Amino acid sequence: MQSLAVLISIGGAVALLLFALRLVRDGVTDAFGLRLKLALGHGTRTAPRAFLSGMIATLGLQSSTATALMTSGFVERDMIAQGRAQIVLLGANLGTALTALIVTAGIEALAPVLLLLGYVLYRQTPRVVSGIGRALIGIGLVLLSLTLLTQATAPLRDSAALTAFLGLLGDAWPVAFAVSAALAALFSSSLAMVMLIVSLGLTGGLDPALAVVLVLGANFGGAIPPVLATLAASPAAHRVTLGNLMVRGLGCLLALPFAAMIGRELEAVTWLAGGLPVEAHLAFNLALAVLIWPLAGLLARALPLAVPDPPAEAGDGPRWLDEAALDHPEVALAGASREALELGDTVERMLQLIMTAFRDNDPAALREIARLEERVDRLQQEVKLYLSRLGAGASKRDKRRTITVLDYIINLEHAGDIIEKGLAVQVDRKISLGLWFSAEGYRELEALFDLTLDTMKIAQTIFMTPDRGLAKQLIETKVRIRHMERRSPERHFRRLRKGHTDSLQTSSLHLDMLRDLKRVSAHLISVAHPILDEEGMLVESRLKDTAEG
């Protein structure tokens, strides 16, 4: 019964530690998330800055897993090179070791002060202050959990069963390594596992060599959750986390045979409050950084062999451009028109993905945009080349249709460019920097997104069935969009003058998205111009006639 109570106490202390680490991460993210992401995203121009960025981010977030996932996201968006990303994670690994050093430095007496101060700040309205308060509460709970963990393991100091169990593990290093790695992966935190090893070390029955083996297992296991989290991500993102796992695995493979020697050396120079486990954790990550840093570029070039890019998907080429139909213009134009519709469907898909990413803050929806844009460019070129070889027997009607098809696919290609190089970049910035629009600003953009998508659907219909009523409706939509685009900045600047912080942070982003949505709509609406022009329903200019009558 006493053994069960001890296990429950240890489990409760570990659970509190994991909760406290999450609280620190959430608080720092609320208070400094934007600055941390900016520092991580833009602080990798040189290798030393990349290393420091990873270390500082992990010290702030109390999680190398969070740093690894953020870094993989930046690599996926081509904001960080693969080699630099591996150096960032070397810094993140050292940041975890430094965190262990700090929390075991004998500052447990500060826990009540941190909890009280954190609670006072957490109750404040400003988000930054509240986030700092939450982080301080988390740090206080981390210190409290370590005290509870020490108390929970105290009865084990004279336990013959624990001594026998540790003796068995000491004779079976691979088993000890696997158990430690599995627990670190389960906790999703190498830091939590190292703290548990520190507590076991306080019982006095932990052999130095076994302590080193357990620390190595904790380091390896801590790299597993990011790999699992990026399994469904792009190859570029998955390479980052897999590379970190391979680096830690290599380090463990090199250090494991010398665990006994390392344990003896560290025991002889023990000077840290956390004892040998914290020293081993720190020494391992320092050695790993020194060893791998010069090889980061080589590792980046080797990773595509382990995680190759997927093969190009079949079906991305033109399906309706029949070379044999070129001598029959009507048949050839029918095929080219079907291909133009296919191109329009691709642009519509791009718009839908942008809307999904915007509404759900889902970066996964943006991953397909670049491939779809490449398809749009390729199809547009294929259709243009095909129509340039149209037979000489084309009638005037066929020639007019040829111009209509060419105008439409060129406008679709321009719309695709704006979506990829404008809207996708802006939505990605919104997600990666954790930006939030004001409720009114969000509704304005969402309404313009919906209207642009409706415009896309109507344009596709008009292209195949030149309907004067729909064409007129599309031109009226253009006027609505123009009015929305004109009124929205006015309302946006009113919110800025009122001091809305959300509007201040997203000011340029809001205006850029308005501009690009209007540009996309303008290219789509152009399909209505030839129809209304033939009917004499368009004027040369929107300028009012100021001539005196």
Side-chain angles (χ1 to χ4, degrees):
M1 195 68 181
Q2 184 180 5
S3 299
L4 179 61
V6 169
L7 287 175
I8 291 174
S9 297
I10 292 174
V14 171
L16 180 60
L17 175 59
L18 294 174
F19 173 73
L21 291 173
R22 178 63 181 267
L23 207 59
V24 174
R25 183 165 72 249
D26 290 347
V28 171
T29 300
D30 281 349
F32 308 110
L34 178 58
R35 294 184 181 89
L36 275 176
K37 288 180 179 180
L38 283 171
L40 188 58
H42 301 289
T44 58
R45 294 173 186 170
T46 64
R49 287 179 63 178
F51 185 84
L52 285 173
S53 296
M55 185 176 70
I56 293 169
T58 301
L59 283 170
L61 296 171
Q62 300 287 290
S63 171
S64 59
T65 297
T67 304
L69 293 177
M70 276 201 302
T71 304
S72 66
F74 286 134
V75 169
E76 190 173 34
R77 301 177 188 106
D78 293 324
M79 293 175 64
I80 299 179
Q82 186 70 241
R84 287 281 190 269
Q86 296 305 323
I87 295 176
V88 169
L89 295 192
L90 290 175
N93 297 340
L94 183 60
T96 302
L98 291 175
T99 301
L101 173 64
I102 293 168
V103 299
T104 58
I107 56 174
E108 291 86 354
L110 293 177
V113 176
L114 293 172
L115 289 169
L116 177 60
L117 180 59
Y119 179 74
V120 171
L121 295 178
Y122 177 67
R123 303 265 304 177
Q124 304 306 307
T125 303
R127 189 173 180 177
V128 172
V129 177
S130 178
I132 293 173
R134 185 185 299 186
L136 290 177
I137 292 173
I139 295 171
L141 290 178
V142 166
L143 299 176
L144 182 60
S145 69
L146 295 180
T147 301
L148 292 177
L149 202 53
T150 302
Q151 294 173 353
T153 55
L156 299 177
R157 292 171 188 172
D158 301 319
S159 171
L162 178 65
T163 302
F165 177 68
L166 292 177
L168 288 173
L169 289 180
D171 294 330
W173 286 1
V175 175
F177 181 90
V179 169
S180 181
L183 287 174
L186 181 65
F187 297 157
S188 193
S189 171
S190 58
L191 177 62
M193 187 59 206
V194 170
M195 292 301 97
L196 184 57
I197 298 168
V198 169
S199 298
L200 290 175
L202 294 176
T203 64
L206 189 61
D207 179 69
L210 179 58
V212 172
V213 172
L214 292 174
V215 168
L216 293 176
N219 275 275
F220 184 77
I224 294 175
V227 174
L228 299 178
T230 56
L231 282 176
S234 71
H238 190 48
R239 285 175 200 138
V240 175
T241 56
L242 183 62
N244 185 47
L245 181 64
M246 291 168 64
V247 164
R248 291 202 201 185
L250 176 63
C252 292
L253 195 63
L254 293 175
L256 200 56
F258 305 100
M261 183 185 73
I262 295 170
R264 286 194 303 271
E265 293 296 326
L266 291 177
E267 188 179 33
V269 295
T270 296
W271 58 276
L272 297 179
L276 192 146
V278 173
E279 289 180 353
H281 191 33
L282 184 60
F284 174 74
N285 285 291
L286 277 171
L288 205 59
V290 172
L291 176 66
I292 300 299
W293 190 325
L295 304 176
L298 181 62
L299 176 63
R301 290 190 293 274
L303 282 170
L305 299 176
V307 187
D309 289 313
E313 294 185 23
D316 273 3
R319 293 188 293 169
W320 314 109
L321 303 183
D322 185 0
E323 294 291 326
L326 284 171
D327 292 330
H328 306 281
E330 286 191 3
V331 178
L333 281 167
S337 296
R338 293 181 73 178
E339 211 63 67
L341 281 177
E342 185 84 13
L343 202 151
D345 288 340
T346 304
V347 173
E348 182 178 348
R349 173 66 179 155
M350 292 172 71
L351 275 172
Q352 289 170 339
L353 289 170
I354 292 290
M355 287 179 66
T356 299
F358 175 76
R359 287 173 171 166
D360 302 340
N361 277 337
D362 179 14
L366 298 175
R367 292 172 189 146
E368 201 180 346
I369 295 293
R371 185 186 67 80
L372 291 176
E373 167 57 13
E374 287 178 8
R375 183 165 188 259
V376 169
D377 288 344
R378 187 165 56 253
L379 282 179
Q380 187 247 166
Q381 289 295 336
E382 294 279 0
V383 174
K384 282 201 301 187
L385 182 62
Y386 182 77
L387 290 178
S388 71
R389 303 201 309 273
L390 203 60
S395 64
K396 287 185 178 180
R397 182 173 177 272
D398 293 335
K399 290 177 180 177
R400 283 198 302 270
R401 181 60 181 170
T402 300
I403 293 172
T404 299
V405 173
L406 287 173
D407 281 346
Y408 190 51
I409 63 170
I410 289 170
N411 278 293
L412 287 175
E413 194 271 334
H414 288 326
D417 279 344
I418 296 167
I419 293 170
E420 184 203 20
K421 297 179 175 62
L423 290 171
V425 173
Q426 292 148 15
V427 173
D428 180 63
R429 181 180 163 212
K430 170 186 180 286
I431 296 169
S432 61
L433 298 182
L435 299 176
W436 293 92
F437 291 96
S438 66
E440 186 181 357
Y442 179 87
R443 284 194 299 270
E444 289 172 3
L445 288 170
E446 188 177 40
L448 195 49
F449 263 119
D450 289 333
L451 192 56
T452 304
L453 193 56
D454 288 342
T455 300
M456 178 78 249
K457 296 178 186 297
I458 296 172
Q460 287 279 82
T461 304
I462 291 173
F463 176 69
M464 288 308 294
T465 57
D467 184 283
R468 187 176 67 179
L470 282 176
K472 187 177 178 182
Q473 179 184 333
L474 210 54
I475 296 297
E476 290 169 352
T477 300
K478 183 177 182 179
V479 176
R480 283 179 58 199
I481 291 173
R482 189 189 309 140
H483 289 165
M484 287 176 66
E485 193 249 355
R486 185 182 301 148
R487 289 195 300 267
S488 188
E490 294 172 358
R491 288 193 289 261
H492 178 69
F493 287 124
R494 279 202 298 270
R495 292 192 294 271
L496 288 178
R497 284 194 292 269
K498 290 179 180 177
H500 291 197
T501 56
D502 289 339
S503 295
L504 184 62
Q505 290 181 347
T506 59
S507 181
S508 63
L509 189 62
H510 184 104
L511 297 177
D512 287 345
M513 291 183 71
L514 281 174
R515 178 203 63 207
D516 285 342
L517 283 169
K518 180 188 173 186
R519 290 170 64 205
V520 169
S521 297
H523 284 296
L524 300 177
I525 289 167
S526 65
V527 73
H529 292 168
I531 300 168
L532 298 180
D533 196 31
E534 284 185 13
E535 299 289 334
M537 299 176 68
L538 289 181
V539 294
E540 290 291 330
S541 171
R542 293 205 309 262
L543 290 173
K544 293 181 179 179
D545 187 3
T546 57
E548 295 181 5

